[in-house]
């Protein structure tokens, strides 16, 4: 009965061979997940008693159950068993499935593991290395998986050359080859060289370029490598045909193409276009690109075939952090939005977001719409409407911001972007406690802020979610003035950046820092909602949220006109999807603008990051103050947070 449900075949429907084959695969997958890698399922059709009906019989050869005891290697002398075990995935499972801790064997994964082990040897000079067998050795009710390795001799490359280059001189490419003479043979380097030569020609219109590495013996355990080049002919792009996009407009796809009809046919640019379209998130991957012969001399067409997928989502739930306590949320997003396409509202590549948050210490409403190709240029135009109650800012007053913003953002090069923004918002400071200090009470009131801001961002991180290398740098200026119609007269400047260093054993060292300052153009004091604060899960983790810096006589944070901090952090793996961190944070908040005369506060700490939610890692961190001002104790602080820091 269980397998009938898994097969998902309904009685009374037309017999369809495709559905029967799909049901066969589903049944086999159920068995494999239960640890039966050798299961085989076949089916046959029999005439049923009732005319016009067929009886389908599935025959199952379950095979033996294979639960993994451990992985072993035989015949390895070049690499230790510990080194080779890091390459194989057989027996891996989701660590968080505590209800199912059994390690099962999958034939598909074993085949991939064989390729990974052989590739490791061939990249270290052992050109003929092979895994000659994979045995399953019974150990009580489980099995050991034993990879038997024939390492073969280590080969040295005596010479590297290129044959068949007629259009361009070899001297342009020879210095760029990764595989060099008098070095160990490396399949990885040879593959990279072949790709480099292919791209060199492909970027210049040679769509049919073919590069074949030829390995010839030059003695005992010695070989020469020659790249045989068949240049083909030079082509130009005639036209681009797109199919499969029933919702997405043609123009949304075409504007991502870095090549137009009449240009040289560039395989490099076509690869870039494929990545761009896949990164949009509108289509299943891979997006199919193919060059089509036209019959016309020196011309090719391009056929792009896409398979659209869902681009909208509704998420709701609840979260908790040590900053804003318990929060319920609803998020509606559509990454392929079209404001003018009623009632579907999809297809133009616009970004739409509606967010609602409500909790014991905050209330948020946000409505955002972004056009990434404003006026058919690679220029983003975005708008935002919002209502925000920041009751977690302080225990003695509430802050409410109601406003709107509009921005323009222009890419600069591959990694940079320039953003200009105008923001208008009404800010309310109210519900001040009766026993609050005079300094806090003087902040009460309603303010209208009209602000211009300009920022530059340079981002080379290899991932938004767990960066291992690269950096993100941001510099910004802001100006709020009465001449813009507001009653807040301030200007500010900020610098921030993070550099990531990929370290051995998949560990990551990062350095993060920030500096910001604000001043009042009229010589008056800077209002509390414009001042800088430090402390909490996002900077100085050994202190309460916004609790570092100047305070009133009752110990309530007042913020400062200048703040700076630095964080050193070491991130290391513990198990799948769980990483540990150790860190050192140091920072200062000063009363005056462009001044670093405040008390220095610092902390050290450790924590765990759990990468199990799409919303971002669960961060559990404990910080212990090292240097504290007179208002902060030296006791440790625990921080709990969910989400990525973009």
């Amino acid at each position: 009965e269980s397998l009938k449900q898994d097969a998902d075949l309904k009685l009374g429907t037309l017999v369809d061979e495709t559905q029967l084959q799909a049901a066969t695969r589903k049944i086999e997958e159920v068995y494999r997940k239960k640890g039966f890698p050798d299961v085989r399922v076949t089916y046959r059709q029999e005439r049923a008693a009732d005319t016009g009906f067929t009886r389908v019989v599935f025959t199952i050869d379950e095979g033996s159950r294979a639960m993994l005891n451990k992985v072993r290697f035989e015949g390895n002398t070049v690499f230790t068993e510990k080194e080779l075990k890091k390459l194989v995935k057989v027996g891996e499972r989701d660590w968080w499935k505590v209800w199912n801790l059994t390690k099962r064997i999958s034939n598909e994964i074993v085949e991939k593991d064989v390729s990974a082990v052989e590739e490791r040897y061939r990249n270290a000079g052992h050109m003929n290395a092979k895994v000659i067998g994979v045995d399953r050795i019974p150990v009580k009710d489980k099995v050991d998986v034993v990879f038997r390795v024939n390492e073969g001799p280590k080969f040295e490359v005596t010479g590297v050359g290129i044959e068949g280059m007629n259009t361009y001189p070899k001297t342009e490419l020879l210095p760029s080859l990764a595989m060099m003479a008098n070095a160990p043979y490396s399949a990885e380097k040879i593959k990279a060289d072949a790709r480099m030569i292919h791209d060199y020609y492909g970027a210049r219109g040679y769509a049919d370029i073919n590069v074949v590495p030829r390995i010839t013996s030059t003695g005992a355990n010695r070989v020469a490598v020659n790249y045989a080049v068949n240049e083909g002919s030079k082509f130009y792009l005639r036209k681009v045909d797109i199919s499969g996009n029933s919702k997405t407009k043609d123009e949304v796809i075409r504007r991502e193409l870095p090549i137009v009809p009449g240009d040289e046919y560039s395989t490099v640019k076509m690869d870039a276009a494929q990545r761009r379209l896949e990164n949009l998130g509108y289509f299943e991957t891979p997006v199919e690109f193919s060059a089509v012969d036209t019959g016309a001399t020196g011309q090719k067409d391009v056929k792009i075939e896409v398979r659209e997928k869902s681009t909208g989502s509704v998420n709701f739930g609840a979260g908790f952090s040590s900053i804003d306590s318990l929060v319920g949320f609803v998020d509606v997003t559509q990454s392929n939005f079209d404001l003018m396409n009623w009632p579907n509202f999809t297809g133009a590549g616009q970004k739409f977001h509606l967010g609602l948050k409500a909790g014991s210490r905050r209330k948020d409403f946000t409505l955002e719409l972004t056009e990434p190709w404003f006026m058919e240029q690679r220029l983003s135009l975005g708008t935002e409407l919002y209502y925000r109650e920041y009751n977690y800012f302080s225990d003695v007053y509430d802050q409410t911001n109601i406003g709107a913003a509009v921005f323009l953002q222009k890419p600069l090069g591959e990694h940079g972007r320039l953003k200009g923004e105008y923001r208008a918002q009404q800010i309310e400071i109210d519900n001040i406690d009766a026993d609050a200090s005079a300094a806090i009470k003087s902040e009460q009131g309603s303010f209208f802020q009209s602000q211009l801001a300009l920022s530059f961002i340079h981002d080379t991180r290899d991932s938004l979610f767990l960066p291992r290398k690269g950096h993100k740098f941001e510099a910004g200026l802001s100006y709020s003035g009465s001449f813009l119609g507001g009653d807040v007269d301030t200007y500010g400047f900020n610098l921030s950046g993070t550099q990531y260093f990929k370290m051995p054993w998949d560990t990551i060292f990062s350095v993060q820092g920030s500096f910001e300052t604000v001043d009042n153009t009229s010589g008056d004091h800077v209002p509390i909602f414009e001042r800088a604060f430090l402390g909490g899960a996002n900077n100085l983790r050994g202190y309460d949220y916004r609790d570092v810096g100047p305070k009133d006589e009752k110990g309530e944070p007042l913020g400062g006109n200048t703040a700076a901090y630095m964080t050193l952090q070491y991130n290391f793996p513990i198990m799948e999807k769980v990483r540990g961190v150790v860190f050192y944070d140091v920072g200062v908040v000063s009363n005056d603008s462009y001044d670093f005369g405040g008390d220095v506060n610092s902390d050290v700490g450790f924590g765990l990051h759990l990468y199990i939610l799409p919303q971002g890692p669960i961060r559990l961190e404990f910080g212990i103050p090292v240097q504290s001002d007179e208002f902060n104790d030296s006791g440790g602080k625990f921080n709990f947070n969910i989400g990525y820091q973009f």
Side-chain angles (χ1 to χ4, degrees):
E1 292 301 319
S2 174
L3 290 175
K4 284 181 181 179
Q5 294 180 8
D6 294 321
D8 194 25
L9 293 174
K10 296 181 180 179
L11 300 181
T13 59
L14 290 173
V15 175
D16 186 327
E17 289 289 340
T18 303
Q19 289 184 346
L20 295 180
Q21 292 170 8
T24 301
R25 292 193 295 270
K26 290 176 182 177
I27 294 171
E28 289 179 341
E29 184 61 25
V30 169
Y31 269 92
R32 291 189 180 110
K33 287 182 177 179
K34 295 293 185 182
F36 292 83
D38 298 322
V39 64
R40 292 292 179 266
V41 180
T42 58
Y43 68 88
R44 69 179 185 273
Q45 298 184 45
E46 300 177 347
R47 185 185 299 274
D50 296 334
T51 302
F53 283 84
T54 294
R55 181 171 181 262
V56 179
V57 179
F58 289 91
T59 303
I60 301 171
D61 178 6
E62 294 179 330
S64 59
R65 199 172 195 188
M67 299 299 182
L68 180 66
N69 180 50
K70 65 180 179 179
V71 175
R72 295 190 284 117
F73 291 84
E74 291 181 356
N76 57 302
T77 60
V78 177
F79 301 111
T80 65
E81 188 164 273
K82 183 178 180 181
E83 289 175 309
L84 294 177
K85 279 184 177 180
K86 293 179 180 179
L87 303 173
V88 302
K89 304 296 183 184
V90 62
E92 285 192 354
R93 57 175 178 78
D94 293 326
W95 67 271
W96 48 272
K97 290 184 178 178
V98 294
W99 62 88
N100 192 353
L101 301 179
T102 306
K103 296 181 178 180
R104 298 183 174 89
I105 299 170
S106 163
N107 288 338
E108 293 179 0
I109 294 178
V110 169
E111 289 176 6
K112 293 179 181 178
D113 290 343
V114 167
S115 297
V117 172
E118 290 178 345
E119 183 179 8
R120 181 70 179 90
Y121 272 98
R122 290 168 187 170
N123 290 336
H126 295 263
M127 185 173 70
N128 297 326
K130 282 191 70 66
V131 175
I132 56 177
V134 181
D135 299 329
R136 297 179 188 172
I137 309 299
V139 180
K140 295 183 179 179
D141 59 339
K142 297 182 180 180
V143 297
D144 287 354
V145 174
V146 182
F147 292 84
R148 290 184 286 112
V149 181
N150 182 353
E151 296 177 325
K154 187 174 183 178
F155 283 79
E156 182 182 273
V157 174
T158 57
V160 181
I162 303 176
E163 301 173 352
M165 282 191 69
N166 301 314
T167 306
Y168 304 103
K170 299 178 184 179
T171 53
E172 289 192 17
L173 294 182
L174 286 173
S176 302
L177 295 177
M179 189 72 262
M180 296 184 293
N182 303 317
Y185 173 94
S186 170
E188 183 179 29
K189 290 181 179 179
I190 291 173
K191 183 178 178 180
D193 286 343
R195 184 66 193 178
M196 184 270 293
I197 298 170
H198 183 279
D199 288 348
Y200 179 87
Y201 274 89
R204 291 159 173 79
Y206 289 82
D208 296 334
I209 175 68
N210 188 34
V211 182
V212 178
R214 291 178 177 170
I215 314 300
T216 56
S217 175
T218 57
N221 302 333
R222 295 161 67 84
V223 294
V225 178
N226 281 286
Y227 301 98
V229 177
N230 183 356
E231 295 178 333
S233 302
K234 187 168 185 174
F235 290 91
Y236 292 83
L237 179 64
R238 190 180 71 167
K239 66 176 181 176
V240 177
D241 293 320
I242 301 171
S243 62
N245 54 318
S246 59
K247 294 185 294 186
T248 307
K249 294 179 179 178
D250 262 28
E251 64 190 59
V252 173
I253 297 174
R254 292 184 185 277
R255 69 194 185 190
E256 297 295 334
L257 305 180
I259 183 173
V260 297
D263 289 352
E264 289 180 344
Y265 186 101
S266 170
T267 58
V268 174
K269 289 184 177 180
M270 285 301 170
D271 289 344
Q274 183 180 25
R275 289 192 298 270
R276 283 187 187 178
L277 292 179
E278 291 174 348
N279 290 339
L280 289 176
Y282 307 161
F283 313 113
E284 301 287 350
T285 56
V287 173
E288 299 293 340
F289 272 63
S290 56
V292 180
D293 288 328
T294 64
T297 303
Q299 291 188 328
K300 279 189 181 293
D301 292 344
V302 168
K303 182 180 179 181
I304 302 175
E305 188 172 354
V306 300
R307 290 168 294 142
E308 292 182 310
K309 66 180 183 180
S310 175
T311 54
S313 65
V314 178
N315 296 309
F316 58 91
F320 179 84
S321 80
S322 51
I323 294 176
D324 52 8
S325 191
L326 184 64
V327 177
F329 66 87
V330 177
D331 269 317
V332 180
T333 62
Q334 174 55 262
S335 60
N336 191 10
F337 189 71
D338 187 350
L339 182 62
M340 310 306 293
N341 183 20
W342 187 90
N344 297 318
F345 297 108
T346 57
Q350 299 163 356
K351 315 298 179 186
F352 172 85
H353 173 241
L354 172 65
L356 298 170
K357 292 181 181 177
S360 55
R361 304 192 68 186
R362 73 181 298 171
K363 290 182 178 67
D364 284 7
F365 165 82
T366 302
L367 179 64
E368 299 170 288
L369 179 64
T370 302
E371 169 55 69
W373 284 79
F374 181 54
M375 298 182 67
E376 302 302 320
Q377 302 293 318
R378 204 167 185 83
L379 178 69
S380 296
L381 171 65
T383 58
E384 177 187 18
L385 298 173
Y386 57 89
Y387 172 89
R388 295 168 183 155
E389 291 184 14
Y390 297 109
N391 298 335
Y392 60 91
F393 277 2
S394 172
D395 293 329
V396 300
Y397 69 87
D398 295 338
Q399 179 176 324
T400 303
N401 291 25
I402 306 172
V406 59
F407 71 83
L408 284 172
Q409 183 169 275
K410 176 68 176 175
L412 298 176
E414 184 178 357
H415 301 292
R417 61 186 188 271
L418 186 67
K419 180 178 179 180
E421 179 183 82
Y422 172 72
R423 183 175 301 273
Q425 59 180 346
Q426 191 73 29
I427 303 168
E428 192 84 27
I429 304 292
D430 57 7
N431 295 331
I432 297 178
D433 287 359
D435 60 350
S437 67
I440 294 294
K441 290 180 177 179
S442 68
E443 300 292 338
Q444 183 169 355
S446 181
F447 308 86
F448 179 68
Q449 184 178 40
S450 182
Q451 184 183 71
L452 289 171
L454 182 68
S455 59
F456 171 74
I457 303 100
H458 196 264
D459 192 348
T460 65
R461 293 174 295 173
D462 61 342
S463 168
L464 293 178
F465 309 124
L466 181 60
R468 289 177 166 82
K469 59 182 179 179
H471 68 259
K472 182 182 180 184
F473 169 82
E474 182 171 355
L477 294 166
S478 64
Y479 184 87
S480 303
S482 55
F483 86 94
L484 296 171
D487 50 27
V488 178
D489 294 299
T490 61
Y491 68 93
F493 173 70
N494 68 278
L495 286 171
S496 63
T498 308
Q499 177 69 54
Y500 298 90
F501 302 91
K502 186 176 182 180
M503 308 294 284
W505 307 295
D506 193 30
T507 62
I508 308 160
F509 178 67
S510 61
V511 180
Q512 181 177 1
S514 174
F515 162 78
E516 60 179 312
T517 190
V518 63
D519 204 354
N520 196 305
T521 58
S522 63
D524 200 356
H525 84 291
V526 174
I528 195 167
F529 55 80
E530 284 286 271
R531 295 180 204 157
F533 294 82
L534 289 179
N538 295 326
N539 39 69
L540 269 67
R541 287 163 278 191
Y543 303 88
D544 288 331
Y545 181 60
R546 290 167 51 112
D547 208 43
V548 171
K551 295 181 173 66
D552 62 18
E553 62 272 16
K554 296 179 179 291
E556 181 67 19
L558 297 174
N561 289 3
T562 301
Y565 81 91
M566 182 180 71
T567 289
L568 306 178
Q569 180 166 288
Y570 187 66
N571 182 306
F572 53 92
I574 296 178
M575 61 178 70
E576 182 75 13
K577 298 184 184 297
V578 180
R579 300 181 69 89
V581 295
V582 291
F583 56 83
Y584 169 73
D585 307 320
V586 60
V588 60
V589 181
S590 302
N591 267 316
D592 298 327
S593 305
Y594 306 100
D595 177 64
F596 296 96
D599 293 327
V600 174
N601 289 260
S602 65
D603 62 71
V604 296
F606 56 91
L608 291 176
H609 291 182
L610 284 64
Y611 295 85
I612 60 176
L613 298 176
Q615 290 83 6
I618 298 174
R619 293 184 287 137
L620 310 170
E621 297 167 330
F622 189 77
I624 305 168
V626 176
Q627 296 170 277
S628 299
D629 59 32
E630 57 181 309
F631 296 104
N632 285 294
D633 59 46
S634 57
K637 292 291 185 297
F638 173 75
N639 290 286
F640 175 92
N641 224 329
I642 298 176
Y644 296 109
Q645 296 185 49
F646 292 105

